[in-house]
Amino acid sequence: MILSDADILDRLAAGDLVVEPLADVDQQVQPASVDLRLGERFLEFQRTNIPCIHPTEADEVGEYVTETTVPEGEEFILHPGDFVLGTTTERVEIPDDLVAHVEGRSSLGRLAIVVHATAGLCDPGYKGQITLELSNLGTAPVALSPGMRVSQLTFTELKSPADRPYGSERGSKYQDQDGPQASRIGSDPEFSGEDEGDGPSDAGGSA
């Protein structure tokens, strides 16, 4: 069951679902979703620093990613073909009986801006800001302004609460993230040599 606006407001009031800060509840709570705003921090990929990215090499991140802060009121220009990691202003906490889906806003989609490449899921138990995988699929640069509504979350109620929600007990590597986070796939059990049952989960909790 997908939560309606009334359901979302009830869960927010109860406090088990958290989306904060909501600057304007009337504007951000849509009929079946919550609009999220773009944060000020971006991770940009430098194409010329290394010949390729090795997912297993965590120490390479600093060689191909740089962080840029764009204060609210200024603009981040996303050029055609560019891919950057952004973040939401809002921090979310997803209860164990819900799963959240990150979606783009139609108005930005019509400008060829997508907000996630593949990781559109916030697992039950996830807490933190949401990393956005921003791409410009069009032919013209697009100015993105921190504070603008850039994405939306929909919420689906599970048939039963998750037995092993996203979090520290699973070793979930993006729990409580603050700002955009680069890939930590190198700590997955198949790369790190840990037993799969003990290794960190990359369940898409950061979306």
Side-chain angles (χ1 to χ4, degrees):
M1 180 183 73
I2 297 175
L3 270 57
S4 70
D5 51 0
D7 298 325
I8 292 170
L9 289 170
D10 286 345
R11 298 296 292 260
L12 291 173
D16 60 338
L17 171 64
V18 175
V19 182
E20 60 183 14
L22 281 176
D24 188 331
V25 174
D26 290 337
Q27 183 183 67
Q28 289 184 253
V29 177
Q30 300 292 323
S33 64
V34 177
D35 285 347
L36 303 180
R37 295 167 295 154
L38 182 64
E40 298 181 345
R41 296 155 63 188
F42 300 86
L43 292 183
E44 299 184 70
F45 290 76
Q46 308 302 312
R47 297 178 179 147
T48 59
N49 286 359
I50 57 175
C52 67
I53 294 173
H54 299 91
T56 58
E57 301 295 332
D59 57 353
E60 281 187 358
V61 171
E63 298 180 39
Y64 64 83
V65 173
T66 59
E67 182 167 323
T68 300
T69 299
V70 180
E72 193 164 342
E74 298 185 16
E75 297 176 337
F76 182 89
I77 307 301
L78 191 62
H79 292 273
D82 276 0
F83 174 82
V84 301
L85 298 180
T87 184
T88 59
T89 297
E90 290 79 11
R91 182 181 185 277
V92 304
E93 295 184 11
I94 311 300
D96 296 350
D97 66 333
L98 295 181
V99 62
H101 299 271
V102 181
E103 307 289 350
R105 294 187 64 221
S106 173
S107 295
L108 281 175
R110 296 169 198 231
L111 298 175
I113 299 300
V114 297
V115 301
H116 70 79
T118 183
L121 186 72
C122 284
D123 274 315
Y126 173 71
K127 300 178 182 180
Q129 292 178 319
I130 296 172
T131 292
L132 302 172
E133 302 155 349
L134 299 164
S135 295
N136 182 347
L137 304 181
T139 58
V142 176
L144 301 177
S145 302
M148 70 185 294
R149 289 178 293 140
V150 70
S151 65
Q152 55 187 336
L153 278 186
T154 62
F155 303 94
T156 302
E157 190 172 46
L158 304 181
K159 186 175 180 180
S160 61
D163 282 339
R164 299 180 63 221
Y166 199 89
S168 58
E169 291 186 5
R170 293 186 64 96
S172 303
K173 53 185 175 284
Y174 301 111
Q175 187 74 312
D176 292 313
Q177 69 179 4
D178 177 26
Q181 301 295 313
S183 174
R184 298 174 183 169
I185 194 172
S187 61
D188 281 1
E190 60 265 40
F191 298 131
S192 65
E194 300 174 8
D195 292 337
E196 189 157 346
D198 298 328
S201 168
D202 186 16
S206 64

mmCIF file of all heavy atoms in Angstrom, residues 134-187:
data_model
loop_
_atom_site.group_PDB
_atom_site.id
_atom_site.type_symbol
_atom_site.label_atom_id
_atom_site.label_comp_id
_atom_site.label_asym_id
_atom_site.label_seq_id
_atom_site.Cartn_x
_atom_site.Cartn_y
_atom_site.Cartn_z
ATOM 1 N N LEU A 134 22.799 12.861 -9.791
ATOM 2 C CA LEU A 134 22.258 13.854 -10.719
ATOM 3 C C LEU A 134 22.934 13.775 -12.083
ATOM 4 O O LEU A 134 24.163 13.797 -12.180
ATOM 5 C CB LEU A 134 22.454 15.261 -10.146
ATOM 6 C CG LEU A 134 21.762 15.548 -8.804
ATOM 7 C CD1 LEU A 134 22.337 16.807 -8.168
ATOM 8 C CD2 LEU A 134 20.264 15.688 -9.002
ATOM 9 N N SER A 135 22.120 13.702 -13.128
ATOM 10 C CA SER A 135 22.633 13.670 -14.496
ATOM 11 C C SER A 135 21.823 14.620 -15.372
ATOM 12 O O SER A 135 20.622 14.817 -15.149
ATOM 13 C CB SER A 135 22.547 12.261 -15.089
ATOM 14 O OG SER A 135 23.383 11.360 -14.415
ATOM 15 N N ASN A 136 22.505 15.180 -16.359
ATOM 16 C CA ASN A 136 21.851 16.010 -17.368
ATOM 17 C C ASN A 136 21.864 15.227 -18.678
ATOM 18 O O ASN A 136 22.908 15.076 -19.311
ATOM 19 C CB ASN A 136 22.594 17.343 -17.513
ATOM 20 C CG ASN A 136 21.943 18.279 -18.520
ATOM 21 O OD1 ASN A 136 21.077 17.874 -19.295
ATOM 22 N ND2 ASN A 136 22.364 19.532 -18.510
ATOM 23 N N LEU A 137 20.695 14.744 -19.083
ATOM 24 C CA LEU A 137 20.582 13.953 -20.303
ATOM 25 C C LEU A 137 20.268 14.808 -21.524
ATOM 26 O O LEU A 137 20.121 14.279 -22.624
ATOM 27 C CB LEU A 137 19.489 12.890 -20.143
ATOM 28 C CG LEU A 137 19.627 11.937 -18.954
ATOM 29 C CD1 LEU A 137 18.483 10.925 -18.959
ATOM 30 C CD2 LEU A 137 20.966 11.223 -18.970
ATOM 31 N N GLY A 138 20.165 16.105 -21.316
ATOM 32 C CA GLY A 138 19.784 16.996 -22.405
ATOM 33 C C GLY A 138 20.967 17.556 -23.168
ATOM 34 O O GLY A 138 22.098 17.057 -23.088
ATOM 35 N N THR A 139 20.708 18.627 -23.900
ATOM 36 C CA THR A 139 21.735 19.239 -24.742
ATOM 37 C C THR A 139 22.129 20.635 -24.282
ATOM 38 O O THR A 139 23.010 21.260 -24.884
ATOM 39 C CB THR A 139 21.239 19.331 -26.199
ATOM 40 O OG1 THR A 139 20.017 20.091 -26.232
ATOM 41 C CG2 THR A 139 20.987 17.943 -26.764
ATOM 42 N N ALA A 140 21.495 21.120 -23.209
ATOM 43 C CA ALA A 140 21.803 22.463 -22.697
ATOM 44 C C ALA A 140 22.118 22.389 -21.215
ATOM 45 O O ALA A 140 21.527 21.569 -20.480
ATOM 46 C CB ALA A 140 20.620 23.404 -22.934
ATOM 47 N N PRO A 141 23.046 23.213 -20.724
ATOM 48 C CA PRO A 141 23.305 23.263 -19.282
ATOM 49 C C PRO A 141 22.047 23.691 -18.529
ATOM 50 O O PRO A 141 21.230 24.461 -19.030
ATOM 51 C CB PRO A 141 24.418 24.312 -19.160
ATOM 52 C CG PRO A 141 25.036 24.393 -20.521
ATOM 53 C CD PRO A 141 23.920 24.129 -21.483
ATOM 54 N N VAL A 142 21.920 23.181 -17.297
ATOM 55 C CA VAL A 142 20.776 23.508 -16.453
ATOM 56 C C VAL A 142 21.303 24.004 -15.104
ATOM 57 O O VAL A 142 22.182 23.381 -14.501
ATOM 58 C CB VAL A 142 19.845 22.302 -16.244
ATOM 59 C CG1 VAL A 142 18.711 22.648 -15.292
ATOM 60 C CG2 VAL A 142 19.276 21.830 -17.584
ATOM 61 N N ALA A 143 20.766 25.136 -14.651
ATOM 62 C CA ALA A 143 21.178 25.712 -13.367
ATOM 63 C C ALA A 143 20.326 25.129 -12.250
ATOM 64 O O ALA A 143 19.093 25.234 -12.268
ATOM 65 C CB ALA A 143 21.029 27.235 -13.406
ATOM 66 N N LEU A 144 20.985 24.501 -11.280
ATOM 67 C CA LEU A 144 20.312 23.939 -10.119
ATOM 68 C C LEU A 144 20.614 24.817 -8.908
ATOM 69 O O LEU A 144 21.771 25.167 -8.669
ATOM 70 C CB LEU A 144 20.789 22.513 -9.859
ATOM 71 C CG LEU A 144 20.581 21.519 -11.008
ATOM 72 C CD1 LEU A 144 21.164 20.157 -10.626
ATOM 73 C CD2 LEU A 144 19.112 21.393 -11.373
ATOM 74 N N SER A 145 19.595 25.156 -8.151
ATOM 75 C CA SER A 145 19.755 26.064 -7.015
ATOM 76 C C SER A 145 19.525 25.320 -5.707
ATOM 77 O O SER A 145 18.463 24.711 -5.518
ATOM 78 C CB SER A 145 18.744 27.220 -7.116
ATOM 79 O OG SER A 145 18.910 27.930 -8.319
ATOM 80 N N PRO A 146 20.511 25.311 -4.806
ATOM 81 C CA PRO A 146 20.272 24.736 -3.484
ATOM 82 C C PRO A 146 19.020 25.350 -2.848
ATOM 83 O O PRO A 146 18.789 26.550 -2.935
ATOM 84 C CB PRO A 146 21.535 25.113 -2.715
ATOM 85 C CG PRO A 146 22.592 25.184 -3.765
ATOM 86 C CD PRO A 146 21.898 25.787 -4.959
ATOM 87 N N GLY A 147 18.217 24.482 -2.261
ATOM 88 C CA GLY A 147 16.956 24.919 -1.675
ATOM 89 C C GLY A 147 15.764 24.665 -2.567
ATOM 90 O O GLY A 147 14.618 24.669 -2.096
ATOM 91 N N MET A 148 15.995 24.416 -3.872
ATOM 92 C CA MET A 148 14.882 24.119 -4.771
ATOM 93 C C MET A 148 14.380 22.701 -4.533
ATOM 94 O O MET A 148 15.136 21.820 -4.117
ATOM 95 C CB MET A 148 15.310 24.279 -6.235
ATOM 96 C CG MET A 148 16.275 23.209 -6.729
ATOM 97 S SD MET A 148 16.888 23.465 -8.427
ATOM 98 C CE MET A 148 15.379 23.267 -9.366
ATOM 99 N N ARG A 149 13.093 22.474 -4.771
ATOM 100 C CA ARG A 149 12.551 21.127 -4.678
ATOM 101 C C ARG A 149 13.038 20.330 -5.883
ATOM 102 O O ARG A 149 12.762 20.679 -7.012
ATOM 103 C CB ARG A 149 11.026 21.162 -4.615
ATOM 104 C CG ARG A 149 10.485 21.703 -3.294
ATOM 105 C CD ARG A 149 8.969 21.780 -3.272
ATOM 106 N NE ARG A 149 8.492 22.779 -4.215
ATOM 107 C CZ ARG A 149 7.418 22.634 -4.994
ATOM 108 N NH1 ARG A 149 6.726 21.514 -4.967
ATOM 109 N NH2 ARG A 149 7.041 23.600 -5.810
ATOM 110 N N VAL A 150 13.797 19.267 -5.609
ATOM 111 C CA VAL A 150 14.496 18.564 -6.683
ATOM 112 C C VAL A 150 14.042 17.120 -6.842
ATOM 113 O O VAL A 150 14.178 16.533 -7.915
ATOM 114 C CB VAL A 150 16.022 18.631 -6.446
ATOM 115 C CG1 VAL A 150 16.424 17.782 -5.246
ATOM 116 C CG2 VAL A 150 16.803 18.226 -7.681
ATOM 117 N N SER A 151 13.504 16.523 -5.784
ATOM 118 C CA SER A 151 13.100 15.118 -5.846
ATOM 119 C C SER A 151 11.892 14.903 -4.939
ATOM 120 O O SER A 151 11.454 15.816 -4.233
ATOM 121 C CB SER A 151 14.256 14.200 -5.419
ATOM 122 O OG SER A 151 14.589 14.412 -4.065
ATOM 123 N N GLN A 152 11.363 13.694 -4.974
ATOM 124 C CA GLN A 152 10.247 13.377 -4.105
ATOM 125 C C GLN A 152 10.376 11.949 -3.602
ATOM 126 O O GLN A 152 10.962 11.100 -4.262
ATOM 127 C CB GLN A 152 8.915 13.580 -4.831
ATOM 128 C CG GLN A 152 8.778 12.830 -6.131
ATOM 129 C CD GLN A 152 7.516 13.215 -6.885
ATOM 130 O OE1 GLN A 152 6.537 13.688 -6.315
ATOM 131 N NE2 GLN A 152 7.516 12.997 -8.190
ATOM 132 N N LEU A 153 9.833 11.719 -2.417
ATOM 133 C CA LEU A 153 9.808 10.387 -1.817
ATOM 134 C C LEU A 153 8.383 9.874 -1.793
ATOM 135 O O LEU A 153 7.466 10.590 -1.381
ATOM 136 C CB LEU A 153 10.317 10.423 -0.372
ATOM 137 C CG LEU A 153 11.815 10.408 -0.070
ATOM 138 C CD1 LEU A 153 12.023 10.298 1.433
ATOM 139 C CD2 LEU A 153 12.522 9.268 -0.786
ATOM 140 N N THR A 154 8.208 8.639 -2.238
ATOM 141 C CA THR A 154 6.950 7.935 -2.016
ATOM 142 C C THR A 154 7.215 6.828 -0.998
ATOM 143 O O THR A 154 8.357 6.359 -0.852
ATOM 144 C CB THR A 154 6.391 7.326 -3.309
ATOM 145 O OG1 THR A 154 7.322 6.359 -3.822
ATOM 146 C CG2 THR A 154 6.148 8.407 -4.344
ATOM 147 N N PHE A 155 6.181 6.409 -0.293
ATOM 148 C CA PHE A 155 6.336 5.442 0.796
ATOM 149 C C PHE A 155 5.373 4.274 0.585
ATOM 150 O O PHE A 155 4.182 4.477 0.348
ATOM 151 C CB PHE A 155 6.044 6.097 2.150
ATOM 152 C CG PHE A 155 6.896 7.297 2.436
ATOM 153 C CD1 PHE A 155 6.444 8.573 2.123
ATOM 154 C CD2 PHE A 155 8.156 7.170 2.996
ATOM 155 C CE1 PHE A 155 7.215 9.687 2.363
ATOM 156 C CE2 PHE A 155 8.945 8.283 3.236
ATOM 157 C CZ PHE A 155 8.470 9.548 2.923
ATOM 158 N N THR A 156 5.918 3.071 0.672
ATOM 159 C CA THR A 156 5.120 1.858 0.545
ATOM 160 C C THR A 156 5.176 1.088 1.855
ATOM 161 O O THR A 156 6.260 0.877 2.420
ATOM 162 C CB THR A 156 5.647 0.972 -0.603
ATOM 163 O OG1 THR A 156 5.629 1.720 -1.821
ATOM 164 C CG2 THR A 156 4.774 -0.271 -0.765
ATOM 165 N N GLU A 157 4.008 0.686 2.340
ATOM 166 C CA GLU A 157 3.925 -0.065 3.589
ATOM 167 C C GLU A 157 4.198 -1.533 3.321
ATOM 168 O O GLU A 157 3.629 -2.140 2.397
ATOM 169 C CB GLU A 157 2.540 0.111 4.212
ATOM 170 C CG GLU A 157 2.429 -0.440 5.617
ATOM 171 C CD GLU A 157 1.101 -0.083 6.265
ATOM 172 O OE1 GLU A 157 0.063 -0.246 5.604
ATOM 173 O OE2 GLU A 157 1.120 0.378 7.415
ATOM 174 N N LEU A 158 5.085 -2.127 4.110
ATOM 175 C CA LEU A 158 5.412 -3.542 3.963
ATOM 176 C C LEU A 158 4.310 -4.410 4.562
ATOM 177 O O LEU A 158 3.586 -3.987 5.470
ATOM 178 C CB LEU A 158 6.739 -3.847 4.656
ATOM 179 C CG LEU A 158 7.960 -3.032 4.217
ATOM 180 C CD1 LEU A 158 9.197 -3.478 4.999
ATOM 181 C CD2 LEU A 158 8.190 -3.160 2.723
ATOM 182 N N LYS A 159 4.211 -5.629 4.064
ATOM 183 C CA LYS A 159 3.228 -6.568 4.613
ATOM 184 C C LYS A 159 3.519 -6.855 6.076
ATOM 185 O O LYS A 159 2.620 -7.039 6.892
ATOM 186 C CB LYS A 159 3.232 -7.862 3.792
ATOM 187 C CG LYS A 159 2.150 -8.848 4.186
ATOM 188 C CD LYS A 159 2.150 -10.042 3.251
ATOM 189 C CE LYS A 159 1.061 -11.035 3.640
ATOM 190 N NZ LYS A 159 1.057 -12.213 2.728
ATOM 191 N N SER A 160 4.798 -6.875 6.423
ATOM 192 C CA SER A 160 5.222 -7.014 7.820
ATOM 193 C C SER A 160 6.524 -6.244 7.981
ATOM 194 O O SER A 160 7.269 -6.062 7.013
ATOM 195 C CB SER A 160 5.424 -8.482 8.205
ATOM 196 O OG SER A 160 6.422 -9.086 7.405
ATOM 197 N N PRO A 161 6.836 -5.739 9.192
ATOM 198 C CA PRO A 161 8.087 -4.992 9.394
ATOM 199 C C PRO A 161 9.310 -5.844 9.066
ATOM 200 O O PRO A 161 9.303 -7.069 9.238
ATOM 201 C CB PRO A 161 8.039 -4.627 10.892
ATOM 202 C CG PRO A 161 6.594 -4.688 11.257
ATOM 203 C CD PRO A 161 6.007 -5.787 10.415
ATOM 204 N N ALA A 162 10.353 -5.208 8.583
ATOM 205 C CA ALA A 162 11.586 -5.915 8.253
ATOM 206 C C ALA A 162 12.210 -6.524 9.509
ATOM 207 O O ALA A 162 12.299 -5.864 10.552
ATOM 208 C CB ALA A 162 12.574 -4.956 7.593
ATOM 209 N N ASP A 163 12.626 -7.775 9.428
ATOM 210 C CA ASP A 163 13.295 -8.433 10.555
ATOM 211 C C ASP A 163 14.697 -7.871 10.767
ATOM 212 O O ASP A 163 15.165 -7.773 11.899
ATOM 213 C CB ASP A 163 13.397 -9.942 10.315
ATOM 214 C CG ASP A 163 12.086 -10.666 10.585
ATOM 215 O OD1 ASP A 163 11.236 -10.111 11.313
ATOM 216 O OD2 ASP A 163 11.922 -11.782 10.064
ATOM 217 N N ARG A 164 15.376 -7.525 9.674
ATOM 218 C CA ARG A 164 16.743 -7.017 9.748
ATOM 219 C C ARG A 164 16.809 -5.697 8.994
ATOM 220 O O ARG A 164 17.308 -5.642 7.870
ATOM 221 C CB ARG A 164 17.730 -8.028 9.168
ATOM 222 C CG ARG A 164 17.764 -9.366 9.890
ATOM 223 C CD ARG A 164 18.765 -10.311 9.255
ATOM 224 N NE ARG A 164 20.120 -9.785 9.346
ATOM 225 C CZ ARG A 164 21.013 -9.849 8.359
ATOM 226 N NH1 ARG A 164 20.692 -10.391 7.208
ATOM 227 N NH2 ARG A 164 22.230 -9.367 8.521
ATOM 228 N N PRO A 165 16.305 -4.617 9.595
ATOM 229 C CA PRO A 165 16.298 -3.329 8.891
ATOM 230 C C PRO A 165 17.705 -2.795 8.683
ATOM 231 O O PRO A 165 18.671 -3.235 9.312
ATOM 232 C CB PRO A 165 15.487 -2.432 9.831
ATOM 233 C CG PRO A 165 15.635 -3.056 11.178
ATOM 234 C CD PRO A 165 15.726 -4.527 10.936
ATOM 235 N N TYR A 166 17.785 -1.833 7.780
ATOM 236 C CA TYR A 166 19.046 -1.152 7.488
ATOM 237 C C TYR A 166 19.575 -0.507 8.765
ATOM 238 O O TYR A 166 18.807 0.066 9.539
ATOM 239 C CB TYR A 166 18.788 -0.073 6.435
ATOM 240 C CG TYR A 166 20.008 0.410 5.701
ATOM 241 C CD1 TYR A 166 20.441 -0.218 4.545
ATOM 242 C CD2 TYR A 166 20.707 1.530 6.134
ATOM 243 C CE1 TYR A 166 21.546 0.247 3.841
ATOM 244 C CE2 TYR A 166 21.811 1.995 5.435
ATOM 245 C CZ TYR A 166 22.229 1.349 4.304
ATOM 246 O OH TYR A 166 23.326 1.815 3.623
ATOM 247 N N GLY A 167 20.881 -0.612 9.004
ATOM 248 C CA GLY A 167 21.434 0.010 10.199
ATOM 249 C C GLY A 167 22.700 -0.665 10.663
ATOM 250 O O GLY A 167 23.284 -1.510 9.981
ATOM 251 N N SER A 168 23.129 -0.282 11.863
ATOM 252 C CA SER A 168 24.426 -0.720 12.372
ATOM 253 C C SER A 168 24.497 -2.228 12.574
ATOM 254 O O SER A 168 25.565 -2.825 12.434
ATOM 255 C CB SER A 168 24.738 -0.001 13.688
ATOM 256 O OG SER A 168 23.724 -0.244 14.639
ATOM 257 N N GLU A 169 23.383 -2.863 12.911
ATOM 258 C CA GLU A 169 23.429 -4.313 13.139
ATOM 259 C C GLU A 169 23.747 -5.073 11.860
ATOM 260 O O GLU A 169 24.269 -6.173 11.901
ATOM 261 C CB GLU A 169 22.097 -4.797 13.727
ATOM 262 C CG GLU A 169 21.850 -4.317 15.148
ATOM 263 C CD GLU A 169 20.602 -4.919 15.762
ATOM 264 O OE1 GLU A 169 19.986 -5.793 15.109
ATOM 265 O OE2 GLU A 169 20.251 -4.522 16.884
ATOM 266 N N ARG A 170 23.426 -4.472 10.712
ATOM 267 C CA ARG A 170 23.762 -5.090 9.429
ATOM 268 C C ARG A 170 25.122 -4.609 8.925
ATOM 269 O O ARG A 170 25.603 -5.071 7.887
ATOM 270 C CB ARG A 170 22.709 -4.731 8.377
ATOM 271 C CG ARG A 170 21.332 -5.303 8.604
ATOM 272 C CD ARG A 170 20.444 -4.972 7.408
ATOM 273 N NE ARG A 170 20.941 -5.610 6.210
ATOM 274 C CZ ARG A 170 20.486 -6.779 5.758
ATOM 275 N NH1 ARG A 170 19.531 -7.421 6.409
ATOM 276 N NH2 ARG A 170 20.980 -7.317 4.662
ATOM 277 N N GLY A 171 25.708 -3.625 9.612
ATOM 278 C CA GLY A 171 26.940 -3.021 9.106
ATOM 279 C C GLY A 171 26.688 -2.150 7.894
ATOM 280 O O GLY A 171 27.557 -1.988 7.037
ATOM 281 N N SER A 172 25.500 -1.556 7.816
ATOM 282 C CA SER A 172 25.115 -0.760 6.649
ATOM 283 C C SER A 172 25.995 0.475 6.533
ATOM 284 O O SER A 172 26.054 1.298 7.448
ATOM 285 C CB SER A 172 23.639 -0.360 6.767
ATOM 286 O OG SER A 172 22.818 -1.512 6.895
ATOM 287 N N LYS A 173 26.655 0.626 5.396
ATOM 288 C CA LYS A 173 27.748 1.588 5.306
ATOM 289 C C LYS A 173 27.330 3.023 5.035
ATOM 290 O O LYS A 173 28.156 3.923 5.093
ATOM 291 C CB LYS A 173 28.770 1.128 4.266
ATOM 292 C CG LYS A 173 28.218 0.819 2.901
ATOM 293 C CD LYS A 173 29.334 0.268 2.017
ATOM 294 C CE LYS A 173 28.851 -0.172 0.661
ATOM 295 N NZ LYS A 173 28.134 -1.446 0.695
ATOM 296 N N TYR A 174 26.053 3.264 4.718
ATOM 297 C CA TYR A 174 25.614 4.638 4.468
ATOM 298 C C TYR A 174 24.666 5.160 5.552
ATOM 299 O O TYR A 174 24.090 6.233 5.392
ATOM 300 C CB TYR A 174 24.928 4.737 3.101
ATOM 301 C CG TYR A 174 25.812 4.315 1.946
ATOM 302 C CD1 TYR A 174 25.548 3.157 1.231
ATOM 303 C CD2 TYR A 174 26.920 5.077 1.571
ATOM 304 C CE1 TYR A 174 26.346 2.765 0.175
ATOM 305 C CE2 TYR A 174 27.731 4.685 0.519
ATOM 306 C CZ TYR A 174 27.442 3.532 -0.182
ATOM 307 O OH TYR A 174 28.244 3.144 -1.227
ATOM 308 N N GLN A 175 24.521 4.419 6.615
ATOM 309 C CA GLN A 175 23.623 4.864 7.684
ATOM 310 C C GLN A 175 24.121 6.178 8.292
ATOM 311 O O GLN A 175 25.315 6.364 8.516
ATOM 312 C CB GLN A 175 23.524 3.787 8.774
ATOM 313 C CG GLN A 175 22.499 4.053 9.862
ATOM 314 C CD GLN A 175 21.068 3.855 9.391
ATOM 315 O OE1 GLN A 175 20.688 4.359 8.346
ATOM 316 N NE2 GLN A 175 20.274 3.128 10.161
ATOM 317 N N ASP A 176 23.169 7.106 8.537
ATOM 318 C CA ASP A 176 23.456 8.411 9.148
ATOM 319 C C ASP A 176 24.370 9.278 8.284
ATOM 320 O O ASP A 176 25.089 10.132 8.797
ATOM 321 C CB ASP A 176 24.061 8.250 10.553
ATOM 322 C CG ASP A 176 23.044 7.697 11.542
ATOM 323 O OD1 ASP A 176 21.908 8.199 11.580
ATOM 324 O OD2 ASP A 176 23.390 6.750 12.274
ATOM 325 N N GLN A 177 24.325 9.093 6.972
ATOM 326 C CA GLN A 177 25.191 9.905 6.125
ATOM 327 C C GLN A 177 24.756 11.369 6.150
ATOM 328 O O GLN A 177 23.588 11.696 6.247
ATOM 329 C CB GLN A 177 25.216 9.372 4.699
ATOM 330 C CG GLN A 177 23.931 9.524 3.925
ATOM 331 C CD GLN A 177 24.080 8.971 2.507
ATOM 332 O OE1 GLN A 177 25.115 8.416 2.126
ATOM 333 N NE2 GLN A 177 23.046 9.117 1.708
ATOM 334 N N ASP A 178 25.757 12.231 6.054
ATOM 335 C CA ASP A 178 25.556 13.678 6.067
ATOM 336 C C ASP A 178 26.203 14.230 4.800
ATOM 337 O O ASP A 178 27.420 14.186 4.655
ATOM 338 C CB ASP A 178 26.189 14.283 7.316
ATOM 339 C CG ASP A 178 26.077 15.806 7.360
ATOM 340 O OD1 ASP A 178 25.140 16.357 6.752
ATOM 341 O OD2 ASP A 178 26.938 16.447 7.991
ATOM 342 N N GLY A 179 25.390 14.720 3.883
ATOM 343 C CA GLY A 179 25.917 15.193 2.616
ATOM 344 C C GLY A 179 26.108 14.052 1.632
ATOM 345 O O GLY A 179 25.898 12.879 1.957
ATOM 346 N N PRO A 180 26.519 14.378 0.396
ATOM 347 C CA PRO A 180 26.705 13.335 -0.616
ATOM 348 C C PRO A 180 27.871 12.430 -0.249
ATOM 349 O O PRO A 180 28.908 12.893 0.216
ATOM 350 C CB PRO A 180 26.985 14.129 -1.893
ATOM 351 C CG PRO A 180 27.549 15.426 -1.412
ATOM 352 C CD PRO A 180 26.870 15.720 -0.111
ATOM 353 N N GLN A 181 27.699 11.146 -0.465
ATOM 354 C CA GLN A 181 28.740 10.175 -0.144
ATOM 355 C C GLN A 181 29.126 9.401 -1.390
ATOM 356 O O GLN A 181 28.268 8.906 -2.125
ATOM 357 C CB GLN A 181 28.235 9.192 0.924
ATOM 358 C CG GLN A 181 27.814 9.854 2.226
ATOM 359 C CD GLN A 181 28.974 10.515 2.954
ATOM 360 O OE1 GLN A 181 30.034 9.909 3.106
ATOM 361 N NE2 GLN A 181 28.771 11.743 3.380
ATOM 362 N N ALA A 182 30.416 9.305 -1.643
ATOM 363 C CA ALA A 182 30.908 8.516 -2.770
ATOM 364 C C ALA A 182 30.696 7.031 -2.503
ATOM 365 O O ALA A 182 30.406 6.610 -1.385
ATOM 366 C CB ALA A 182 32.390 8.816 -3.012
ATOM 367 N N SER A 183 30.838 6.236 -3.543
ATOM 368 C CA SER A 183 30.616 4.802 -3.436
ATOM 369 C C SER A 183 31.565 4.158 -2.420
ATOM 370 O O SER A 183 32.751 4.480 -2.366
ATOM 371 C CB SER A 183 30.822 4.140 -4.798
ATOM 372 O OG SER A 183 30.739 2.736 -4.696
ATOM 373 N N ARG A 184 31.013 3.262 -1.634
ATOM 374 C CA ARG A 184 31.819 2.457 -0.702
ATOM 375 C C ARG A 184 31.717 0.978 -1.056
ATOM 376 O O ARG A 184 31.785 0.107 -0.194
ATOM 377 C CB ARG A 184 31.345 2.694 0.738
ATOM 378 C CG ARG A 184 31.509 4.150 1.199
ATOM 379 C CD ARG A 184 30.906 4.384 2.557
ATOM 380 N NE ARG A 184 31.015 5.797 2.947
ATOM 381 C CZ ARG A 184 30.380 6.326 3.986
ATOM 382 N NH1 ARG A 184 29.587 5.577 4.735
ATOM 383 N NH2 ARG A 184 30.522 7.607 4.270
ATOM 384 N N ILE A 185 31.561 0.708 -2.336
ATOM 385 C CA ILE A 185 31.379 -0.665 -2.785
ATOM 386 C C ILE A 185 32.585 -1.542 -2.449
ATOM 387 O O ILE A 185 32.471 -2.751 -2.303
ATOM 388 C CB ILE A 185 31.080 -0.710 -4.296
ATOM 389 C CG1 ILE A 185 30.549 -2.086 -4.703
ATOM 390 C CG2 ILE A 185 32.297 -0.315 -5.120
ATOM 391 C CD1 ILE A 185 30.051 -2.157 -6.122
ATOM 392 N N GLY A 186 33.745 -0.916 -2.283
ATOM 393 C CA GLY A 186 34.935 -1.683 -1.954
ATOM 394 C C GLY A 186 34.861 -2.407 -0.633
ATOM 395 O O GLY A 186 35.635 -3.339 -0.384
ATOM 396 N N SER A 187 33.947 -2.001 0.255
ATOM 397 C CA SER A 187 33.799 -2.680 1.541
ATOM 398 C C SER A 187 32.757 -3.793 1.493
ATOM 399 O O SER A 187 32.478 -4.420 2.514
ATOM 400 C CB SER A 187 33.435 -1.673 2.642
ATOM 401 O OG SER A 187 32.210 -1.027 2.360
#
